[in-house]
Amino acid sequence: MTGATVQDGDVIQIRTASPDDAALLAPLNHIVHDLHKRHRPDLFLDFPEPDAVEAFFRAQIADPSVTVLLADGTEGKALGYALARVKNRPGGALTCSDVIVSLDQIAVVPDAARTGVGAALLEAVREVGRAAGCRRLVTDGWYFNEGARAFYQAAGFSPTNVLLDQQL
């Protein structure tokens, strides 16, 4: 898809994932999943079945509204991924119709954090959205994930709503 030069002059390639990449995506997903399960063990499994996670990614890759992007380093090592979904939102009595690209997941290996890999993945998601005729890129982040919130703020995102949660 695209090549990007990141910190220290390394070049990464951002490419669209294939079903064969499910085995690469599953361990990358654990980077973020582990943070989520630490903070919300009531919502996230302790140890998701690797086969189930790979099947999840194969299903996402097969969905025509979804694009899964992989960041490959110079040695072919997977450095991160992003999962984006194009959504058509019909208008209603109170809202305008809209076509958006939603960044549903993004993860970067810890060794590549703050080197530009996340920014390159984010720009590739923007390209997916522009190619699909989207007006906006939206994402969400857990309140406890301060690193993600700082990343999105630095990338120019601004809050639009707050989802509140209460145990019953």
Side-chain angles (χ1 to χ4, degrees), residues 1-2 14-16 65-70 81-86 100-107 117-134 136-139 151-152 157:
M1 185 171 204
T2 63
I14 306 295
R15 64 179 175 85
T16 303
S65 70
V66 173
T67 301
V68 179
L69 301 163
L70 260 172
Y81 81 96
L83 189 152
R85 180 181 317 273
V86 173
I100 63 167
V101 61
S102 173
L103 176 58
D104 293 354
Q105 297 182 13
I106 188 168
V117 173
L121 284 164
L122 185 58
E123 184 54 34
V125 170
R126 288 182 182 118
E127 290 176 20
V128 167
R130 289 181 195 114
C134 298
R136 299 180 302 126
L137 166 58
V138 298
T139 194
F151 170 74
Y152 292 131
F157 286 80

Side-chain angles (χ1 to χ4, degrees), residues 12-75:
I12 60 165
Q13 292 295 318
I14 306 295
R15 64 179 175 85
T16 303
S18 74
D20 293 339
D21 292 317
L24 289 174
L25 292 161
L28 291 171
N29 176 263
H30 286 294
I31 296 165
V32 176
H33 183 86
D34 289 345
L35 175 69
H36 292 160
K37 77 177 180 184
R38 271 197 316 274
H39 289 275
R40 288 304 303 260
D42 58 318
L43 298 176
F44 294 93
L45 296 174
D46 279 340
F47 302 102
E49 287 292 324
D51 290 345
V53 177
E54 288 183 29
F56 164 80
F57 279 109
R58 281 191 296 277
Q60 295 303 303
I61 290 166
D63 184 333
S65 70
V66 173
T67 301
V68 179
L69 301 163
L70 260 172
D72 291 326
T74 53
E75 298 158 11

